[in-house]
């Protein structure tokens, strides 16, 4: 009798292997552009930022108080005449022995002074008949040399590389760039990404009222969070909307998207069902690999090329689509921009629940921190429960075949690191 057994499915690919394969295809975009430092948040640097100055340029005061020679007030209670006043932005004269200078935070330390006594450790005095123009001050706490003095160059030295090519810019990085005089920065150009959803069951909020939804119809939630995720990664998004479950319509949409985009992201239609047309459409236009990735939620993932455009096909279930984007597409998009760090580092956190159901796939459990510093689990880990992604503030990266008990340390990836 002929062998009528169905063909064996290929073994599940590990997530690490899938990510490595994907990143191997992510040749950084060659184009770059210069943008205002004000507008560079989230962009990836295309050129090192080298400081043309020293920061701070001169020793300066870390406190409001009095600049002194420490040897002149080695005993608490010493009274010194105040010979000058040095606000930030001005330069004082050399400090004469046996005198103090009123000084403010950020003001340069005058030559001759070697310490600052903060205002709270002094008592201002007015001495009748005293020659000092600014009265006198009693030093109530004897200072040590160097006290409350910020040294020249302790932040940045001339010629330092303060930000490196491939860094993704943060608000703090923009401040650092500005501190060395950079009013504009050379960054990788934004990736152009086409987004499309497939499925005759999909409807758009606002177009169909809830009470008018047809049996089997669902609102297209994927389209909303995918657009937001892409924008957060600095992409220029072309939203192609919902493509019906029709092969020719799918071919036409993909062909149009491939002409002007670096990446096409699809949700749904990447399985092998009769109404899943992404696979056949991409193969008709280019080439496609369909991977069964050993991750949960999420398993079917497609990667391919149509001309010069990459394509990433994500599953249709919303949580599966959400997680495969975060762990596979997000690193790919950062790598396209030349980023040197594309994956967040998990944090060791205590689990406050038992997880005794080992899975053969690497599992991302939706959880959130509690007031005791541990993690609580969302009770329903189904791939269709989108409420879990709002209730949670991150995921526990759980190796395949792994269980743990309350009190064990687990690897937690905050959404704040994945959604930035």
């Amino acid at each position: 009798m002929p062998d009528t057994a169905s063909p064996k499915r290929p073994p599940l690919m590990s997530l690490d292997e899938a990510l490595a394969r994907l990143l191997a295809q992510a040749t950084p975009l060659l184009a770059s552009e210069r943008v205002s430092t004000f507008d560079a948040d989230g962009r990836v640097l295309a050129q090192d930022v080298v400081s043309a100055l020293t920061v701070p340029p001169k020793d300066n005061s870390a406190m409001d108080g009095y600049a002194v020679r420490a040897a002149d007030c080695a005993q608490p209670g010493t009274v010194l005449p105040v010979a000058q006043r040095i606000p930030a932005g001005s330069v004082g004269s050399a400090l004469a022995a046996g005198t103090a200078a009123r000084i403010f935070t950020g003001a340069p330390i005058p030559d001759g002074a070697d310490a600052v006594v903060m205002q709270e450790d002094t008592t201002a005095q007015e001495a009748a008949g005293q020659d000092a123009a600014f009265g006198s001050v009693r030093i109530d706490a004897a200072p040590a040399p160097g006290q409350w003095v910020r040294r020249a160059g302790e932040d940045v030295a001339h010629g330092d590389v303060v930000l490196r090519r491939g860094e993704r810019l943060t608000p703090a990085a923009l401040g650092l760039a500005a501190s060395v005089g950079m009013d504009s920065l050379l960054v990788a150009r934004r990736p152009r990404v086409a987004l499309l959803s497939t499925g005759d069951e999909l409807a758009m909020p606002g177009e169909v009222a809830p009470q008018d939804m047809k049996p089997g119809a669902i609102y297209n939630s994927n389209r909303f969070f995918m657009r937001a995720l892409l924008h957060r990664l600095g992409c220029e998004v072309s939203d192609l909307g919902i493509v019906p479950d029709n092969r020719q319509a799918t071919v036409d949409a993909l062909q149009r998207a491939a002409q002007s985009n670096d990446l096409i992201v699809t949700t749904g239609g990447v399985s092998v069902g009769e109404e899943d047309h992404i696979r056949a459409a991409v193969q008709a236009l280019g080439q496609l690999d369909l991977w069964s990735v050993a991750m949960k939620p999420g398993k079917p993932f497609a990667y391919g090329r149509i001309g010069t455009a990459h394509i990433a096909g994500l599953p249709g279930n919303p949580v599966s689509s959400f997680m495969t984007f975060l762990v596979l597409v997000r690193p790919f998009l950062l790598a396209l921009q030349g980023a040197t760090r594309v994956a967040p580092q998990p944090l060791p956190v205590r689990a406050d629940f038992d997880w005794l159901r080992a899975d053969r796939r690497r599992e991302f459990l939706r959880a959130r921190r509690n007031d005791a510093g541990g993690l609580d689990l969302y009770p329903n880990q189904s791939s269709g429960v989108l409420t879990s992604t709002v209730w949670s503030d991150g995921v526990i990266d759980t190796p395949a075949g792994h269980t743990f008990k309350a009190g064990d340390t687990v690897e937690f990836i905050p959404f704040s690191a994945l959604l930035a």
Side-chain angles (χ1 to χ4, degrees):
M1 293 181 63
D3 184 4
T4 58
S6 58
K8 292 183 178 180
R9 290 187 176 186
L12 294 176
M13 183 184 299
S14 74
L15 179 57
D16 287 340
E17 181 183 353
L19 182 57
R21 286 193 184 191
L22 197 59
L23 292 179
Q25 302 299 321
T27 303
L29 303 171
L30 295 179
S32 59
E33 58 183 342
R34 185 164 290 280
V35 300
S36 165
T37 303
F38 279 122
D39 301 323
D41 185 35
R43 304 294 293 271
V44 176
L45 267 179
Q47 183 181 65
D48 289 349
V49 175
V50 181
S51 178
L53 72 163
T54 297
V55 182
K58 193 177 188 301
D59 291 357
N60 70 85
S61 179
M63 288 285 179
D64 290 347
Y66 295 86
V68 299
R69 296 172 183 258
D72 288 343
C73 43
Q75 297 299 320
T78 300
V79 176
L80 299 174
V82 180
Q84 55 184 308
R85 185 176 183 275
I86 313 174
S90 64
V91 178
S93 57
L95 186 71
T99 68
R102 181 74 168 110
I103 197 166
F104 297 88
T105 303
I109 301 294
D111 292 342
D114 62 3
V116 172
V117 184
M118 64 179 177
Q119 186 169 305
E120 293 83 348
D121 289 335
T122 67
T123 302
Q125 295 184 338
E126 293 293 339
Q130 183 170 289
D131 292 333
F134 301 100
S136 62
V137 62
R138 187 181 73 211
I139 307 300
D140 298 323
Q147 176 177 288
W148 300 122
V149 176
R150 296 174 180 151
R151 297 299 181 189
E154 71 174 30
D155 188 5
V156 177
H158 184 278
D160 278 355
V161 177
V162 296
L163 296 168
R164 294 196 176 276
R165 177 180 180 178
E167 288 190 44
R168 193 161 178 232
L169 293 164
T170 63
L174 301 186
L176 179 56
S179 77
V180 297
M182 301 297 295
D183 67 329
S184 65
L185 296 166
L186 192 68
V187 297
R189 77 159 171 84
R190 297 182 185 275
R192 293 187 288 268
V193 181
L195 173 64
L196 62 90
S197 308
T198 67
D200 290 340
E201 75 279 13
L202 298 178
M204 285 297 291
E207 294 180 359
V208 182
Q211 65 271 20
D212 297 329
M213 292 280 279
K214 295 179 181 178
I218 58 173
Y219 285 122
N220 185 4
S221 57
N222 292 0
R223 185 176 176 185
F224 287 82
F225 66 70
M226 282 292 169
R227 277 180 58 154
L229 289 169
L230 290 167
H231 282 305
R232 286 195 177 199
L233 287 167
C235 301
E236 295 178 1
V237 182
S238 299
D239 189 340
L240 303 185
I242 300 170
V243 178
D245 285 327
N246 173 280
R247 178 171 175 176
Q248 189 57 51
T250 306
V251 168
D252 292 344
L254 292 175
Q255 191 169 38
R256 186 169 68 253
Q259 294 173 0
S260 57
N261 289 283
D262 305 300
L263 173 67
I264 305 166
V265 176
T266 69
T267 61
V270 295
S271 191
V272 291
E274 293 179 3
E275 299 301 325
D276 294 323
H277 298 291
I278 292 292
R279 184 178 189 178
V282 176
Q283 288 173 333
L285 297 169
Q287 56 186 19
L288 182 78
D289 288 327
L290 184 63
W291 306 336
S292 292
V293 182
M295 66 173 286
K296 182 180 179 181
K299 183 173 70 173
F301 180 83
Y303 169 76
R305 297 286 288 267
I306 301 176
T308 59
H310 305 272
I311 181 167
L314 309 183
N317 278 332
V319 183
S320 297
S321 183
F322 183 72
M323 287 308 305
T324 50
F325 182 95
L326 292 180
V327 300
L328 289 169
V329 180
R330 178 183 182 273
F332 180 81
L333 280 167
L334 290 175
L336 276 186
Q337 297 173 74
T340 51
R341 295 177 59 187
V342 299
Q345 291 297 314
L347 304 174
V349 184
R350 183 190 72 248
D352 285 347
F353 61 93
D354 295 335
W355 185 254
L356 305 178
R357 296 178 294 170
D359 196 277
R360 66 184 181 130
R361 290 180 280 171
R362 183 170 166 184
E363 195 158 6
F364 293 89
L365 303 173
R366 281 139 279 162
R368 73 178 179 189
R369 291 181 182 269
N370 54 43
D371 292 341
L375 293 170
D376 294 329
L377 182 72
Y378 191 78
N380 189 339
Q381 293 287 313
S382 168
S383 62
V385 180
L386 199 54
T387 49
S388 65
T389 62
V390 177
W391 180 91
S392 305
D393 54 22
V395 290
I396 299 171
D397 187 353
T398 310
H402 188 71
T403 62
F404 53 83
K405 293 185 176 181
D408 289 348
T409 298
V410 295
E411 293 194 337
F412 182 66
I413 306 174
F415 281 145
S416 59
L418 287 167
L419 302 179

